[in-house]
Amino acid sequence: MKLTRRQLIRNTAAFGAFASAGFPHIWIKNADLASAAAGEIKVGVLFSLTGTTAIIEESLNKATLLAIEEINASGGIKGMKIVPVVEDPASDPATFADKARKLVVGDKCVSVFGSYTSASRKAVLPVFERQHNLYWYPTLYEGRECSKNVIYTGAVPNQQQDEFIPWLINKFGKKFYLIGSNYIYPKEENNYCKKLLQKYGGEVVAEEYVPLGHSEFSSVINKFKSTQPNVIFSTVVGDSVVALHRQYHAAGLDPEKMPMASLTTSENEVAAMGGEAAAGHFTSAPYFMVYKSPENEKFVAAYKKRWGADKVTHFVSEACYFQIHLFKQAVEKLAVSDITPPNIRDAVKGQETLAPQGKVRIEPDNLHTWLWPKIAQAQSDGQFKILVQAKDWLKPLPYAAYPGQVCSEKGLVVQN
Amino acid sequence: MDQFIQQFLTGLSIGSILLLVAIGLSIIYGAMGIINLAHGEFVMLGAYTAWFLQVQFGMGLLTSLVPIFILVAAFGWLIERFVLSFLNNRPLDTILATWGVGIMLQQAVRLTAGGELRYVKMPEILSNSADVLGVQISLYRIFLLAASLVLFAATWLLMNRTTVGMKLRAIIQDRSVAASFGVNARRIYGLTFAYGAGLAGLAGALVSPLKSVSPEMGTGYVIDAFMVVVLGGVQSLVGTVASAFVLGELSGVIAFLQNDTVAKATVLLAIVVLIRFRPQGMFATRVRA
């Protein structure tokens, strides 16, 4: 078939007209941006319900749904219901990215609440940045990230360590044994820990990483015995925490002389290792289940009523809970036609809410959260006893370990 | 010197846990030739049974060991009877079937017992540590060492000194000839598989006070168990024991001198190299072809 010039022009013009009409986002910027519609606000809930990290993410899913149900029961947001779209990313980063794309592009959710591990957050990041959507991340993490499409409601290293390290040196001594699981989070936390140790005259006797999921700690415990540190600074995660504590206890070591100081041991892990193995060790976090405040009593009671009396709340599930309330406050500030992810992001800057841990606030510069550091000691009944409470809330500094780098409203600024 | 003894005892302890987990597999894979990828899930079932008996009936770990063995063995017998016995001499299908069974077991446990980590209490009398040759060692670890050796001895006697064991060995050598002598191959296979599964269940229950109990806990153990059995020589029980303690000492020492990440990698590398040059493993039993 011979193609004449006239036919070519005609076909091209027809195709062009079709394309610009059929795919309006070619010429209208942000036309396909997710927004609220028909009296309901769709949000994604992206926590693993199967796979290795389901152990903890199940509780995050539950805290998120609880907060959404509470808000809907009290009239929703401006009369609109929050509709959660729950997906199970099965503890696999690639599946996280797939499900995130589905929630953002397919379901047109205006925000997604999700992730426990840093690996899964990094995997979904490109989706949210490309689609101009918003991801709410409740977990304490290693910092060193400055995305404009993520609201970080967990602690960063300075919020867990600034008070903790000098307190430990003061109380137990200068020699620290750093033990962590072998991935980015423990390495960045230790990186910051070493800076603080240098500042306060502490000393690192050993720094060691075990494989993720590792459960045989007898050689590590032999090294505790031979190096005799004053403090074992632990960033071991997941079921390894349980194995480490139980084997430490079985080996007859004494937490009064050589306590483990952890950033990752919560009520959840303590329940699994048993009170006798947990007792005497320390954790630094913004929230503990025993914390006394009217908001927390309400949260714990509601959680147990909804999900079972034997369930515990912990420092990540608390953030899951209050970040929904921050979302509500931000959306309330917007006109119904303006409920889009970028507007929600701008509206949440500087928002404050009374969380179970105390009043928290989203820092406008870096979208991280002002939190209340606390130091607590695990007791044999499986709960913590809070020993130190910060007098003031602490500003989040995601680049605290990197002098000269600051996360600002414009993005990451590197000063020389 | 103290440190040397300490490290030696640690290696023995790691080895005893490996042996506990591997001994059931050594029967199922080594003797029966079934590649059972659900072995780790039998271990997990044992741990969950211990947890269940503790929570529901307040039974201590030591008293619940016998019921755990019986329950997991019965479950293993069912799997053999209704899945594997239809797949005789189809090794690839067996691998797939046991893998599938493993996944189903994981999800079934997650749905019934919940996804969170579970707690199994350590027996009170064994929760202290003792002085052995001048070093402190956990009583429970000594108990595990003893338990692994007792289970090994029982298994060895069963295989070599009883009629069931003799019949099994006859079937392994030649199924049709054994059958023509009146040995009921089906029944023996079922019983042996059940025994191996029961051992795996015991292993799970025994390690649970030192480790954590979760639906996925079996995944790590199945790899360890295959490593031990393959290195020891597939048909040799003694080989399994030797290889468990060699691997235990090796990974203990490397983990002490370096760290556990390096230890894991080095041990795997060593096994690959050894299998390359000695595919039959450390101990090969001579079988008339």
Side-chain angles (χ1 to χ4, degrees), chain A residues 209 219 222-223 239 246 250 276, chain B residues 7 10 119-120 209 212 252 255:
Chain A
Y209 299 95
S219 288
N222 285 348
K223 282 190 257 187
D239 42 358
R246 298 197 84 167
E276 75 279 356
Chain B
Q7 201 48 48
T10 298
Y119 166 66
V120 175
S212 58

Side-chain angles (χ1 to χ4, degrees), chain A residues 2 85 104 116 184 367 379:
Chain A
K2 197 163 171 277
V85 184
V104 169
Y116 177 64
I184 181 165
L367 301 179
Q379 307 292 307

Side-chain angles (χ1 to χ4, degrees), chain A residues 148-396:
Chain A
K148 294 299 144 199
N149 297 87
V150 182
I151 309 290
Y152 306 85
T153 53
V156 284
N158 77 304
Q159 291 172 313
Q160 283 189 288
Q161 295 196 34
D162 276 1
E163 294 226 9
F164 200 24
I165 301 297
W167 184 84
L168 287 166
I169 292 178
N170 213 352
K171 205 163 150 87
F172 296 101
K174 292 172 182 243
K175 283 159 62 183
F176 277 56
Y177 195 114
L178 310 186
I179 173 121
S181 294
N182 200 356
Y183 76 112
I184 181 165
Y185 166 74
K187 292 188 176 179
E188 288 287 336
E189 287 285 359
N190 283 343
N191 200 359
Y192 188 62
C193 177
K194 283 185 279 185
K195 282 200 179 303
L196 289 177
L197 286 177
Q198 205 173 16
K199 183 172 158 194
Y200 294 107
E203 150 194 10
V204 179
V205 295
E207 180 179 355
E208 176 168 8
Y209 299 95
V210 296
L212 275 168
H214 191 64
S215 69
E216 181 54 71
F217 284 94
S218 39
S219 288
V220 169
I221 286 167
N222 285 348
K223 282 190 257 187
F224 292 165
K225 287 182 184 167
S226 65
T227 50
Q228 288 293 322
N230 301 119
V231 176
I232 297 159
F233 185 71
S234 160
T235 41
V236 170
V237 300
D239 42 358
S240 301
V241 175
V242 177
L244 174 62
H245 276 80
R246 298 197 84 167
Q247 291 168 31
Y248 174 104
H249 180 68
L253 294 179
D254 183 4
E256 283 192 19
K257 292 193 194 101
M258 198 195 287
M260 287 198 259
S262 170
L263 304 180
T264 48
T265 309
S266 74
E267 287 82 355
N268 213 39
E269 284 82 8
V270 170
M273 70 180 75
E276 75 279 356
H281 299 291
F282 300 93
T283 297
S284 166
Y287 171 83
F288 292 96
M289 192 173 171
V290 293
Y291 180 64
K292 286 250 176 305
S293 75
E295 291 76 24
N296 187 36
E297 274 155 33
K298 193 176 140 248
F299 170 50
V300 172
Y303 192 87
K304 287 189 162 181
K305 182 161 173 256
R306 178 69 178 83
W307 303 111
D310 59 330
K311 298 283 187 271
V312 294
T313 58
H314 52 89
F315 47 73
V316 192
S317 68
E318 186 246 7
C320 283
Y321 180 77
F322 79 66
Q323 69 179 12
I324 302 283
H325 288 274
L326 284 169
F327 169 80
K328 169 182 182 253
Q329 281 171 234
V331 173
E332 263 170 355
K333 280 172 57 183
L334 300 170
V336 175
S337 56
D338 285 345
I339 302 178
T340 60
N343 288 338
I344 296 173
R345 183 212 21 237
D346 290 336
V348 83
K349 287 178 181 173
Q351 278 295 319
E352 294 175 358
T353 187
L354 263 177
Q357 65 172 281
K359 191 157 86 173
V360 297
R361 172 173 187 260
I362 300 291
E363 166 60 39
D365 278 351
N366 55 31
L367 301 179
H368 287 62
T369 311
W370 290 68
L371 301 168
W372 295 85
K374 298 173 181 69
I375 300 171
Q377 186 178 37
Q379 307 292 307
S380 51
D381 66 354
Q383 284 292 346
F384 283 88
K385 185 177 160 198
I386 299 174
L387 303 177
V388 181
Q389 299 189 41
K391 280 173 221 68
D392 208 355
W393 56 1
L394 196 59
K395 187 180 176 177

Side-chain angles (χ1 to χ4, degrees), chain B residues 28-48:
Chain B
I28 293 175
Y29 171 52
M32 301 170 68
I34 295 174
I35 298 183
N36 176 25
L37 290 182
H39 185 75
E41 275 61 46
F42 290 152
V43 174
M44 181 266 291
L45 276 186
Y48 269 93

Side-chain angles (χ1 to χ4, degrees), chain B residues 37-38 41 93-106:
Chain B
L37 290 182
E41 275 61 46
D93 298 339
T94 312
I95 294 177
L96 270 180
T98 52
W99 192 38
V101 166
I103 293 173
M104 283 191 276
L105 286 179
Q106 273 188 26

Side-chain angles (χ1 to χ4, degrees), chain B residues 6 22 33 85 89 98 108 128 136 153 162 178 186 212 214 237 253 272 280:
Chain B
Q6 177 93 61
S85 64
N89 299 322
T98 52
N128 291 321
Q136 288 275 313
T162 64
R186 243 188 129 156
S212 58
S214 71
L237 264 181
V253 167
V272 170
Q280 68 274 43

Side-chain angles (χ1 to χ4, degrees), chain A residues 27-199:
Chain A
W27 46 284
I28 303 177
K29 205 169 162 250
N30 290 348
D32 64 338
L33 210 57
S35 64
E40 53 184 41
I41 301 168
K42 265 197 196 174
V43 298
V45 179
L46 193 59
F47 295 107
S48 305
L49 304 175
T50 54
T52 40
T53 52
I55 290 161
I56 190 115
E57 290 188 45
E58 219 174 12
S59 64
L60 309 184
N61 179 58
K62 286 176 171 156
T64 305
L65 293 181
L66 172 69
I68 293 176
E69 285 166 13
E70 280 181 1
I71 290 172
N72 285 341
S74 62
I77 306 176
K78 291 182 163 177
M80 292 181 288
K81 290 261 179 288
I82 308 181
V83 178
V85 184
V86 178
E87 287 291 338
D88 174 16
S91 311
D92 170 45
T95 314
F96 262 94
D98 285 347
K99 298 284 184 186
R101 208 168 292 121
K102 185 232 162 214
L103 288 170
V104 169
V105 180
D107 296 321
K108 302 223 180 298
C109 293
V110 290
S111 277
V112 177
F113 306 91
S115 277
Y116 177 64
T117 63
S118 287
S120 65
R121 187 192 67 251
K122 296 271 187 208
V124 301
L125 209 52
V127 177
F128 288 90
E129 295 191 335
R130 208 167 305 134
Q131 303 293 336
H132 308 286
N133 211 297
L134 203 54
Y135 198 52
W136 298 66
Y137 179 62
T139 316
L140 60 128
Y141 85 112
E142 67 278 2
R144 217 181 171 189
E145 199 172 278
C146 188
S147 173
K148 294 299 144 199
N149 297 87
V150 182
I151 309 290
Y152 306 85
T153 53
V156 284
N158 77 304
Q159 291 172 313
Q160 283 189 288
Q161 295 196 34
D162 276 1
E163 294 226 9
F164 200 24
I165 301 297
W167 184 84
L168 287 166
I169 292 178
N170 213 352
K171 205 163 150 87
F172 296 101
K174 292 172 182 243
K175 283 159 62 183
F176 277 56
Y177 195 114
L178 310 186
I179 173 121
S181 294
N182 200 356
Y183 76 112
I184 181 165
Y185 166 74
K187 292 188 176 179
E188 288 287 336
E189 287 285 359
N190 283 343
N191 200 359
Y192 188 62
C193 177
K194 283 185 279 185
K195 282 200 179 303
L196 289 177
L197 286 177
Q198 205 173 16
K199 183 172 158 194

